[in-house]
Coordinates of all heavy atoms in Angstrom, one line a residue:
M71 N -12.6 -13.6 0.4 CA -11.8 -12.8 1.3 C -12.5 -12.5 2.6 O -13.7 -12.2 2.5 CB -11.2 -11.5 0.6 CG -10.2 -10.8 1.4 SD -9.6 -9.4 0.5 CE -11.1 -8.3 0.3
S72 N -11.8 -12.6 3.7 CA -12.5 -12.3 4.9 C -12.7 -10.8 5.1 O -12.1 -10.0 4.5 CB -11.7 -12.8 6.1 OG -10.6 -12.0 6.5
A73 N -13.6 -10.4 6.0 CA -13.9 -9.0 6.3 C -12.7 -8.3 6.8 O -12.6 -7.1 6.8 CB -15.1 -8.9 7.1
T74 N -11.8 -9.0 7.5 CA -10.7 -8.4 8.2 C -9.4 -8.3 7.4 O -8.5 -7.5 7.7 CB -10.5 -9.0 9.6 OG1 -10.2 -10.4 9.3 CG2 -11.6 -8.9 10.4
E75 N -9.3 -9.0 6.4 CA -8.0 -9.1 5.6 C -8.1 -8.1 4.4 O -8.9 -8.2 3.5 CB -7.8 -10.5 5.2 CG -6.4 -10.9 5.7 CD -6.1 -12.4 5.4 OE1 -5.6 -12.7 4.3 OE2 -6.5 -13.2 6.3
L76 N -7.1 -7.4 4.3 CA -7.0 -6.4 3.2 C -6.1 -7.1 2.1 O -5.2 -7.9 2.4 CB -6.1 -5.3 3.8 CG -6.3 -3.9 3.1 CD1 -7.8 -3.4 3.5 CD2 -5.3 -2.9 3.8
S77 N -6.5 -6.9 0.9 CA -5.8 -7.4 -0.2 C -4.6 -6.4 -0.6 O -4.7 -5.3 -0.2 CB -6.6 -7.7 -1.5 OG -7.0 -6.4 -2.0
C78 N -3.6 -6.9 -1.3 CA -2.5 -6.0 -1.7 C -3.1 -4.9 -2.5 O -2.6 -3.7 -2.4 CB -1.5 -6.8 -2.5 SG -0.5 -7.9 -1.5
R79 N -4.0 -5.2 -3.5 CA -4.6 -4.1 -4.3 C -5.3 -3.0 -3.4 O -5.1 -1.9 -3.7 CB -5.5 -4.7 -5.3 CG -6.1 -3.7 -6.3 CD -6.9 -4.4 -7.4 NE -6.0 -5.1 -8.3 CZ -5.5 -4.3 -9.4 NH1 -5.7 -3.1 -9.5 NH2 -4.8 -5.0 -10.2
E80 N -6.1 -3.5 -2.5 CA -6.8 -2.5 -1.6 C -5.7 -1.8 -0.8 O -5.9 -0.5 -0.6 CB -7.6 -3.4 -0.6 CG -8.9 -3.8 -1.1 CD -9.7 -4.5 0.0 OE1 -9.2 -5.6 0.5 OE2 -10.8 -4.1 0.2
L81 N -4.6 -2.4 -0.4 CA -3.6 -1.6 0.3 C -3.1 -0.5 -0.6 O -2.8 0.7 -0.1 CB -2.5 -2.6 0.8 CG -1.5 -1.8 1.8 CD1 -1.1 -2.7 2.9 CD2 -0.3 -1.4 1.0
V82 N -2.8 -0.8 -1.8 CA -2.2 0.2 -2.7 C -3.2 1.3 -2.8 O -2.8 2.5 -2.8 CB -1.9 -0.4 -4.0 CG1 -1.6 0.6 -5.0 CG2 -0.7 -1.4 -3.9
E83 N -4.5 1.0 -2.9 CA -5.5 2.0 -3.0 C -5.6 2.9 -1.8 O -5.8 4.1 -1.9 CB -6.9 1.3 -3.3 CG -7.0 0.5 -4.5 CD -7.0 1.4 -5.8 OE1 -7.3 2.6 -5.7 OE2 -6.6 0.8 -6.9
L84 N -5.3 2.4 -0.6 CA -5.5 3.1 0.6 C -4.2 3.7 1.0 O -4.2 4.5 2.0 CB -5.9 2.2 1.8 CG -7.4 1.5 1.6 CD1 -7.7 0.6 2.7 CD2 -8.4 2.6 1.6
A85 N -3.1 3.5 0.4 CA -1.7 3.8 0.9 C -1.6 5.3 1.2 O -1.2 5.8 2.2 CB -0.7 3.3 0.0
S86 N -2.1 6.1 0.2 CA -1.9 7.6 0.4 C -2.8 8.1 1.5 O -2.3 8.9 2.3 CB -2.1 8.4 -0.9 OG -3.5 8.1 -1.3
D87 N -4.0 7.6 1.6 CA -4.8 8.0 2.8 C -4.2 7.6 4.1 O -4.3 8.3 5.1 CB -6.3 7.4 2.6 CG -7.1 8.0 1.6 OD1 -6.7 9.1 1.2 OD2 -8.1 7.4 1.2
Y88 N -3.6 6.4 4.1 CA -2.9 5.9 5.3 C -1.8 6.9 5.7 O -1.7 7.3 6.9 CB -2.4 4.5 5.1 CG -1.6 4.0 6.3 CD1 -2.2 3.6 7.4 CD2 -0.2 4.0 6.3 CE1 -1.5 3.1 8.5 CE2 0.5 3.6 7.4 CZ -0.2 3.1 8.5 OH 0.6 2.7 9.5
V89 N -0.9 7.1 4.8 CA 0.2 8.0 5.1 C -0.2 9.4 5.6 O 0.4 10.0 6.4 CB 1.2 8.1 3.9 CG1 2.2 9.1 4.1 CG2 1.8 6.7 3.6
E90 N -1.4 9.9 5.1 CA -1.8 11.2 5.3 C -2.9 11.1 6.5 O -3.5 12.1 6.8 CB -2.4 11.9 4.1 CG -1.3 12.2 3.1 CD -1.8 12.7 1.8 OE1 -3.1 12.8 1.6 OE2 -1.0 13.1 1.0
R91 N -3.0 10.0 7.1 CA -3.8 9.8 8.3 C -5.3 10.1 8.1 O -5.9 10.7 9.0 CB -3.2 10.6 9.5 CG -1.8 10.2 9.8 CD -1.2 10.9 11.0 NE 0.2 10.6 11.3 CZ 0.5 9.4 12.0 NH1 -0.5 8.7 12.5 NH2 1.7 9.1 12.2
R92 N -5.7 9.7 7.0 CA -7.1 9.9 6.7 C -8.0 8.7 6.8 O -9.2 8.8 6.7 CB -7.3 10.5 5.3 CG -6.8 11.8 5.0 CD -7.3 12.5 3.8 NE -7.0 11.8 2.6 CZ -6.0 12.1 1.7 NH1 -5.4 13.3 2.0 NH2 -5.7 11.4 0.8
L93 N -7.4 7.6 7.2 CA -8.2 6.3 7.4 C -8.8 6.3 8.8 O -8.1 6.6 9.8 CB -7.1 5.1 7.2 CG -6.6 4.9 5.8 CD1 -5.8 3.6 5.9 CD2 -7.9 4.8 4.8
P94 N -10.0 5.8 8.8 CA -10.6 5.6 10.2 C -9.8 4.4 10.8 O -9.1 3.6 10.3 CB -12.0 5.1 9.9 CG -12.1 4.9 8.4 CD -10.8 5.5 7.8
L95 N -10.0 4.3 12.2 CA -9.1 3.4 13.0 C -9.2 2.0 12.5 O -8.2 1.3 12.4 CB -9.6 3.6 14.5 CG -8.7 2.7 15.4 CD1 -7.2 3.1 15.4 CD2 -9.3 2.8 16.8
A96 N -10.4 1.5 12.2 CA -10.6 0.2 11.8 C -9.9 -0.1 10.5 O -9.2 -1.2 10.4 CB -12.1 -0.1 11.6
E97 N -9.8 0.8 9.6 CA -9.1 0.6 8.3 C -7.6 0.6 8.5 O -6.8 -0.1 8.0 CB -9.4 1.7 7.3 CG -10.9 1.6 6.8 CD -11.0 0.4 5.8 OE1 -10.3 0.3 4.9 OE2 -11.8 -0.6 6.2
R98 N -7.1 1.6 9.4 CA -5.7 1.7 9.7 C -5.2 0.3 10.4 O -4.2 -0.2 10.0 CB -5.5 2.7 10.8 CG -5.6 4.2 10.3 CD -5.3 5.1 11.5 NE -3.9 5.0 12.0 CZ -2.9 5.6 11.4 NH1 -3.0 6.4 10.4 NH2 -1.7 5.5 12.0
T99 N -6.0 -0.3 11.3 CA -5.7 -1.6 11.8 C -5.6 -2.6 10.8 O -4.6 -3.4 10.8 CB -6.7 -1.9 12.9 OG1 -6.9 -0.9 13.8 CG2 -6.4 -3.2 13.6
R100 N -6.5 -2.7 9.9 CA -6.4 -3.7 8.8 C -5.2 -3.5 7.9 O -4.5 -4.4 7.5 CB -7.6 -3.7 7.9 CG -8.9 -4.1 8.6 CD -10.2 -3.8 7.7 NE -10.2 -4.6 6.6 CZ -10.8 -4.3 5.4 NH1 -11.3 -3.1 5.3 NH2 -10.8 -5.1 4.4
F101 N -4.9 -2.3 7.7 CA -3.8 -1.8 6.9 C -2.5 -2.4 7.5 O -1.6 -2.9 6.9 CB -3.8 -0.4 6.7 CG -2.9 0.2 5.7 CD1 -3.4 0.6 4.4 CD2 -1.6 0.4 6.0 CE1 -2.5 1.1 3.5 CE2 -0.7 0.9 4.9 CZ -1.2 1.3 3.7
E102 N -2.4 -2.0 8.9 CA -1.1 -2.4 9.5 C -1.0 -3.9 9.7 O 0.1 -4.4 9.7 CB -1.1 -1.6 10.9 CG -0.8 -0.1 10.7 CD -1.1 0.8 11.9 OE1 -1.6 0.1 12.9 OE2 -0.8 1.9 11.9
M103 N -2.1 -4.6 9.9 CA -2.0 -6.0 10.0 C -1.5 -6.6 8.7 O -0.6 -7.5 8.6 CB -3.5 -6.6 10.1 CG -3.8 -6.6 11.6 SD -5.6 -7.1 11.9 CE -5.5 -8.8 11.0
H104 N -1.9 -6.0 7.6 CA -1.5 -6.5 6.3 C 0.1 -6.3 6.2 O 0.9 -7.1 5.7 CB -2.2 -5.8 5.1 CG -1.8 -6.3 3.7 ND1 -2.6 -7.1 3.0 CD2 -0.7 -6.1 3.0 CE1 -2.0 -7.4 1.9 NE2 -0.9 -6.8 1.8
L105 N 0.5 -5.1 6.6 CA 2.0 -4.8 6.5 C 2.8 -5.8 7.3 O 3.9 -6.0 7.0 CB 2.2 -3.3 7.0 CG 1.6 -2.2 6.2 CD1 1.9 -0.9 6.8 CD2 2.3 -2.3 4.8
C106 N 2.2 -6.3 8.4 CA 3.0 -7.2 9.2 C 3.5 -8.5 8.4 O 4.5 -9.0 8.8 CB 2.1 -7.7 10.4 SG 1.9 -6.4 11.6
Y107 N 2.6 -8.8 7.5 CA 3.1 -10.1 6.8 C 3.3 -9.9 5.3 O 3.7 -10.9 4.7 CB 2.0 -11.2 7.0 CG 0.6 -10.9 6.5 CD1 0.4 -10.9 5.1 CD2 -0.4 -10.5 7.3 CE1 -0.9 -10.6 4.6 CE2 -1.7 -10.2 6.8 CZ -2.0 -10.3 5.5 OH -3.1 -9.9 4.9
C108 N 3.3 -8.7 4.9 CA 3.4 -8.5 3.4 C 4.6 -7.6 3.2 O 4.5 -6.3 3.2 CB 2.1 -8.0 2.8 SG 2.2 -8.0 1.0
A109 N 5.8 -8.1 2.8 CA 7.0 -7.2 2.6 C 6.8 -6.4 1.4 O 7.3 -5.3 1.4 CB 8.2 -8.2 2.5
P110 N 6.3 -6.9 0.3 CA 6.1 -5.9 -1.0 C 5.3 -4.7 -0.6 O 5.7 -3.6 -1.0 CB 5.4 -6.8 -2.0 CG 5.7 -8.2 -1.6 CD 5.8 -8.2 -0.1
C111 N 4.3 -4.8 0.3 CA 3.5 -3.7 0.6 C 4.3 -2.7 1.5 O 4.0 -1.5 1.4 CB 2.3 -4.1 1.2 SG 1.0 -4.6 0.0
R112 N 5.2 -3.2 2.3 CA 6.0 -2.4 3.1 C 7.0 -1.6 2.2 O 7.2 -0.5 2.4 CB 6.8 -3.1 4.2 CG 6.0 -3.8 5.3 CD 6.8 -4.1 6.5 NE 7.8 -5.2 6.2 CZ 7.5 -6.5 6.4 NH1 6.3 -6.8 6.8 NH2 8.4 -7.4 6.1
V113 N 7.4 -2.2 1.3 CA 8.3 -1.5 0.3 C 7.6 -0.4 -0.4 O 8.1 0.8 -0.6 CB 8.9 -2.5 -0.7 CG1 9.7 -1.7 -1.9 CG2 9.8 -3.5 -0.1
Y114 N 6.3 -0.7 -0.9 CA 5.5 0.3 -1.5 C 5.3 1.5 -0.6 O 5.3 2.6 -1.0 CB 4.2 -0.4 -1.9 CG 3.3 0.6 -2.7 CD1 3.6 0.9 -4.1 CD2 2.1 1.1 -2.1 CE1 2.8 1.8 -4.7 CE2 1.4 2.0 -2.8 CZ 1.6 2.4 -4.1 OH 0.9 3.2 -4.7
L115 N 4.9 1.2 0.6 CA 4.6 2.3 1.6 C 5.9 3.1 1.8 O 5.8 4.3 1.9 CB 4.2 1.6 3.0 CG 3.5 2.6 3.9 CD1 2.2 3.1 3.2 CD2 3.2 2.1 5.2
D116 N 7.1 2.5 1.8 CA 8.4 3.2 2.1 C 8.5 4.2 0.8 O 9.0 5.3 1.0 CB 9.6 2.3 2.1 CG 9.7 1.6 3.5 OD1 9.0 2.1 4.4 OD2 10.5 0.7 3.6
Q117 N 8.2 3.7 -0.4 CA 8.3 4.6 -1.6 C 7.3 5.8 -1.4 O 7.7 6.9 -1.8 CB 7.9 3.8 -2.8 CG 9.0 2.8 -3.3 CD 8.5 2.1 -4.5 OE1 7.3 2.2 -5.0 NE2 9.5 1.4 -5.2
I118 N 6.2 5.6 -1.0 CA 5.3 6.7 -0.8 C 5.7 7.7 0.2 O 5.6 8.9 0.0 CB 3.8 6.1 -0.4 CG1 3.3 5.4 -1.7 CG2 2.9 7.2 0.0 CD1 1.7 5.2 -1.6
R119 N 6.2 7.1 1.3 CA 6.7 8.1 2.4 C 7.9 8.8 1.8 O 8.0 10.1 2.2 CB 7.1 7.2 3.6 CG 5.9 6.8 4.3 CD 6.3 6.3 5.7 NE 5.1 6.1 6.6 CZ 4.9 5.1 7.3 NH1 5.6 4.0 7.1 NH2 3.8 5.0 8.1
A120 N 8.8 8.2 1.1 CA 9.9 8.9 0.5 C 9.5 10.0 -0.4 O 10.1 11.1 -0.5 CB 10.9 7.9 -0.1
T121 N 8.4 9.6 -1.2 CA 7.9 10.6 -2.1 C 7.4 11.8 -1.4 O 7.7 13.0 -1.8 CB 6.8 10.0 -3.1 OG1 7.4 8.9 -3.7 CG2 6.3 11.0 -4.0
I122 N 6.6 11.6 -0.3 CA 6.1 12.8 0.5 C 7.2 13.5 1.1 O 7.1 14.8 1.2 CB 5.0 12.2 1.5 CG1 3.8 11.6 0.8 CG2 4.6 13.3 2.5 CD1 2.8 11.0 1.7
A123 N 8.2 12.8 1.6 CA 9.3 13.5 2.3 C 10.0 14.5 1.2 O 10.4 15.5 1.6 CB 10.3 12.5 2.8
T124 N 10.1 14.0 0.1 CA 10.7 14.8 -1.1 C 9.8 16.0 -1.6 O 10.2 17.1 -1.6 CB 11.0 13.9 -2.2 OG1 11.8 12.8 -1.8 CG2 11.8 14.7 -3.3
A125 N 8.5 15.6 -1.8 CA 7.6 16.6 -2.4 C 6.8 17.3 -1.4 O 6.2 18.4 -1.7 CB 6.7 15.8 -3.4
G126 N 6.7 16.9 -0.1 CA 5.9 17.5 0.9 C 4.4 17.2 0.8 O 3.6 17.6 1.6
R127 N 4.1 16.5 -0.2 CA 2.6 16.2 -0.4 C 2.7 15.0 -1.5 O 3.7 14.7 -2.0 CB 1.8 17.3 -1.0 CG 2.3 17.8 -2.3 CD 1.6 19.0 -2.8 NE 2.2 19.5 -4.0 CZ 1.9 18.9 -5.2 NH1 1.0 18.0 -5.3 NH2 2.5 19.2 -6.3
L128 N 1.5 14.5 -1.7 CA 1.4 13.3 -2.5 C 0.2 13.5 -3.5 O -0.9 13.8 -3.2 CB 1.1 12.1 -1.7 CG 1.1 10.8 -2.6 CD1 2.5 10.4 -3.0 CD2 0.6 9.6 -1.7
T129 N 0.6 13.3 -4.8 CA -0.4 13.2 -5.8 C 0.0 12.0 -6.7 O 1.1 11.5 -6.6 CB -0.5 14.5 -6.7 OG1 0.7 14.4 -7.6 CG2 -0.6 15.7 -5.9
E130 N -1.0 11.5 -7.4 CA -0.6 10.4 -8.3 C 0.5 10.7 -9.3 O 1.4 9.8 -9.5 CB -1.9 10.0 -9.2 CG -3.0 9.3 -8.5 CD -2.6 7.9 -8.0 OE1 -2.0 7.2 -8.9 OE2 -2.8 7.6 -6.8
D131 N 0.7 11.9 -9.6 CA 1.8 12.3 -10.5 C 3.1 12.2 -9.9 O 4.1 12.1 -10.6 CB 1.5 13.8 -11.1 CG 0.3 13.8 -12.0 OD1 0.0 12.7 -12.5 OD2 -0.1 14.9 -12.2
D132 N 3.1 12.3 -8.5 CA 4.4 12.3 -7.8 C 4.9 10.9 -7.6 O 6.1 10.8 -7.2 CB 4.2 13.0 -6.5 CG 4.0 14.5 -6.6 OD1 4.5 15.0 -7.5 OD2 3.2 15.0 -5.8
L133 N 4.1 9.9 -7.7 CA 4.6 8.6 -7.5 C 5.6 8.2 -8.6 O 5.6 8.7 -9.7 CB 3.4 7.5 -7.6 CG 2.5 7.6 -6.5 CD1 1.2 6.7 -6.8 CD2 3.1 7.2 -5.1
P134 N 6.6 7.5 -8.1 CA 7.7 7.1 -9.1 C 7.1 6.4 -10.3 O 6.1 5.6 -10.2 CB 8.5 6.0 -8.3 CG 8.3 6.4 -6.9 CD 6.9 6.9 -6.8
A135 N 7.6 6.8 -11.5 CA 6.9 6.4 -12.7 C 6.9 4.8 -12.8 O 7.8 4.1 -12.6 CB 7.8 6.8 -13.9
G136 N 5.6 4.4 -13.0 CA 5.4 2.9 -13.1 C 5.5 2.1 -11.9 O 5.3 0.9 -11.9
S137 N 5.7 2.7 -10.7 CA 6.0 1.9 -9.6 C 4.8 1.1 -9.2 O 4.9 0.0 -8.8 CB 6.3 2.9 -8.3 OG 5.3 3.7 -7.9
R138 N 3.6 1.8 -9.3 CA 2.4 1.1 -8.9 C 2.2 -0.3 -9.8 O 1.9 -1.3 -9.3 CB 1.2 2.0 -9.1 CG -0.2 1.5 -8.7 CD -1.2 2.6 -8.7 NE -2.5 2.1 -8.8 CZ -3.5 2.7 -8.0 NH1 -3.1 3.6 -7.2 NH2 -4.7 2.2 -8.2
E139 N 2.4 0.0 -11.1 CA 2.2 -1.2 -12.0 C 3.3 -2.2 -11.8 O 3.0 -3.3 -11.8 CB 2.3 -0.7 -13.5 CG 1.1 0.1 -14.0 CD 1.0 1.5 -13.3 OE1 2.0 2.0 -12.9 OE2 -0.1 2.0 -13.3
T140 N 4.5 -1.8 -11.4 CA 5.6 -2.7 -11.2 C 5.2 -3.5 -10.0 O 5.4 -4.7 -9.8 CB 6.9 -1.9 -11.0 OG1 7.1 -1.1 -12.2 CG2 8.0 -2.9 -10.8
L141 N 4.7 -2.8 -9.0 CA 4.4 -3.4 -7.7 C 3.3 -4.5 -7.9 O 3.5 -5.6 -7.4 CB 4.1 -2.3 -6.6 CG 3.8 -3.0 -5.3 CD1 5.2 -2.9 -4.6 CD2 2.8 -2.1 -4.5
L142 N 2.3 -4.1 -8.6 CA 1.2 -5.0 -8.7 C 1.6 -6.3 -9.5 O 1.2 -7.3 -9.3 CB 0.0 -4.3 -9.4 CG -0.7 -3.2 -8.5 CD1 -1.7 -2.4 -9.3 CD2 -1.4 -3.9 -7.3
A143 N 2.4 -6.0 -10.5 CA 3.0 -7.2 -11.2 C 3.9 -8.1 -10.3 O 3.8 -9.3 -10.4 CB 3.9 -6.6 -12.4
A144 N 4.6 -7.4 -9.5 CA 5.4 -8.1 -8.5 C 4.5 -9.0 -7.6 O 4.9 -10.1 -7.2 CB 6.3 -7.3 -7.7
F145 N 3.4 -8.4 -7.2 CA 2.5 -9.1 -6.3 C 2.0 -10.4 -7.1 O 1.9 -11.4 -6.5 CB 1.3 -8.3 -6.0 CG 1.6 -7.2 -5.0 CD1 0.8 -6.0 -4.9 CD2 2.5 -7.4 -4.0 CE1 1.1 -5.1 -4.0 CE2 2.8 -6.3 -3.1 CZ 2.1 -5.3 -3.1
R146 N 1.7 -10.3 -8.4 CA 1.1 -11.4 -9.1 C 2.2 -12.5 -9.2 O 1.8 -13.7 -9.0 CB 0.7 -10.9 -10.5 CG -0.6 -10.2 -10.6 CD -1.1 -9.9 -11.9 NE -0.3 -9.0 -12.7 CZ -0.5 -7.8 -12.8 NH1 -1.5 -7.2 -12.0 NH2 0.2 -7.0 -13.5
E147 N 3.5 -12.1 -9.4 CA 4.5 -13.1 -9.4 C 4.7 -13.8 -8.0 O 4.8 -15.0 -7.9 CB 5.8 -12.5 -9.8 CG 6.0 -12.1 -11.2 CD 5.7 -13.2 -12.1 OE1 6.4 -14.3 -11.9 OE2 4.9 -13.1 -13.1
W148 N 4.6 -12.9 -7.0 CA 4.9 -13.4 -5.6 C 3.7 -14.4 -5.2 O 4.0 -15.3 -4.6 CB 4.8 -12.2 -4.8 CG 5.1 -12.4 -3.3 CD1 6.2 -12.9 -2.7 CD2 4.2 -12.2 -2.2 NE1 6.1 -13.0 -1.4 CE2 4.9 -12.5 -1.1 CE3 2.9 -11.6 -2.2 CZ2 4.3 -12.3 0.2 CZ3 2.3 -11.5 -0.9 CH2 3.0 -11.9 0.3
K149 N 2.5 -14.1 -5.6 CA 1.4 -15.0 -5.2 C 1.5 -16.4 -5.9 O 1.0 -17.3 -5.4 CB 0.0 -14.4 -5.6 CG -0.3 -13.1 -5.0 CD -0.8 -13.3 -3.5 CE -1.3 -12.0 -3.0 NZ -1.3 -12.1 -1.5
K150 N 2.2 -16.5 -7.1 CA 2.4 -17.7 -7.7 C 3.3 -18.7 -6.9 O 3.2 -19.8 -7.1 CB 2.9 -17.5 -9.1 CG 2.0 -17.0 -10.2 CD 2.7 -16.7 -11.5 CE 1.9 -15.9 -12.4 NZ 2.8 -15.3 -13.5
T151 N 4.2 -18.1 -6.2 CA 5.0 -18.9 -5.4 C 4.3 -19.6 -4.4 O 3.7 -19.0 -3.4 CB 6.2 -18.0 -4.8 OG1 6.7 -17.2 -5.8 CG2 7.3 -18.8 -4.3
P152 N 4.4 -20.9 -4.1 CA 3.7 -21.6 -3.2 C 4.2 -21.2 -1.7 O 5.3 -20.9 -1.6 CB 4.0 -23.1 -3.4 CG 4.8 -23.1 -4.7 CD 5.2 -21.8 -5.0
Ligands
LIG5 ZN1 0.4 -6.8 0.4

């Protein structure tokens, strides 16, 4: 993997920091570049934002049940498609 490209798994790991604006600028840029071409990650980010809008904050427990696992499984399926 190149130094500038974020994987979907990394994006999922960084998502809450991104939404709460804790990422340094370089990481934010990589994150946003990934969102430009990765629709599943945009969906995931929307889920996190909706969760924060509802709960006012974000913890692992607040994430929709199983959403992370479902998403990562979806990524695996998606990558199989040529
Ligand atoms: Zn992605």
